[in-house]
Amino acid sequence: MIERGRVTEALQGMLTAATGRPCGRGRLPLLDGRPAPLPYTVLYPQGGTVDGAPLANRAEDAHLVYQVTVVAARTDQAEWLADRVQRALLGRTTQGTWAHPIPAAGVDVWARELVVDDGVDPAAADDGVVTAVQRYELSATDCGDVTATEGDPGVEEHRRRIVRQP
């Protein structure tokens, strides 16, 4: 079974590292117990679907939706950080692998899709707060007894063995 919390934690860590900005999990991120300075992101798990394992193998698939909300002081900051989030989640290397793996133990995140990009909302700009909202769907497979993370050879071997249902 895919433990969503592991995927959420790995995604939060990846976004922090790849964007160079703090990422909160459902709330304002804290740095040393104090509110992080703008700009930052907030990650919200939004649900998703789970496909039970087919008879041919024991690996189940999940399609998990996450909202990433950028919070900034100005429109240009919000656009800059929203672009960094999109590159972090969708960017690929010249070899075609994900530029920023989501290293959730026992889970292979094999597809990512931008589902919604609401753009920048400057409604509260006069108060010094501008937001941008993006939603992504991550498709993942339970690697079962494989404890490696995305990008590791063990996961790649497991991926080749999986029989995917259309």
Side-chain angles (χ1 to χ4, degrees), residues 40-153:
Y40 57 80
T41 58
V42 180
L43 180 65
Y44 297 98
Q46 298 288 297
T49 61
V50 175
D51 300 328
L55 222 38
N57 71 45
R58 292 184 229 162
E60 70 178 13
D61 288 339
H63 307 281
L64 307 173
V65 178
Y66 289 93
Q67 176 175 305
V68 180
T69 301
V70 170
V71 183
R74 302 182 319 267
T75 299
D76 63 314
Q77 278 185 331
E79 289 178 320
W80 171 82
L81 188 49
D83 287 345
R84 289 182 70 91
V85 167
Q86 189 170 349
R87 274 194 302 278
L89 275 157
L90 302 179
R92 297 231 184 214
T93 67
T94 55
Q95 292 79 29
T97 60
W98 298 114
H100 301 282
I102 301 171
V107 178
D108 175 20
V109 179
W110 52 271
R112 307 171 188 186
E113 178 183 356
L114 176 62
V115 180
V116 173
D117 185 345
D118 285 337
V120 174
D121 180 6
D126 290 342
D127 297 327
V129 178
V130 178
T131 59
V133 172
Q134 298 172 338
R135 283 188 202 90
Y136 293 88
E137 181 177 270
L138 307 181
S139 296
T141 297
D142 178 5
C143 294
D145 58 354
V146 176
T147 57
T149 58
E150 177 186 349
D152 289 343

Side-chain angles (χ1 to χ4, degrees), residues 2-9 25 45-48 64-66:
I2 294 174
E3 293 182 33
R4 181 188 190 96
R6 280 188 189 174
V7 177
T8 303
E9 184 176 343
R25 189 172 176 179
Q46 298 288 297
L64 307 173
V65 178
Y66 289 93

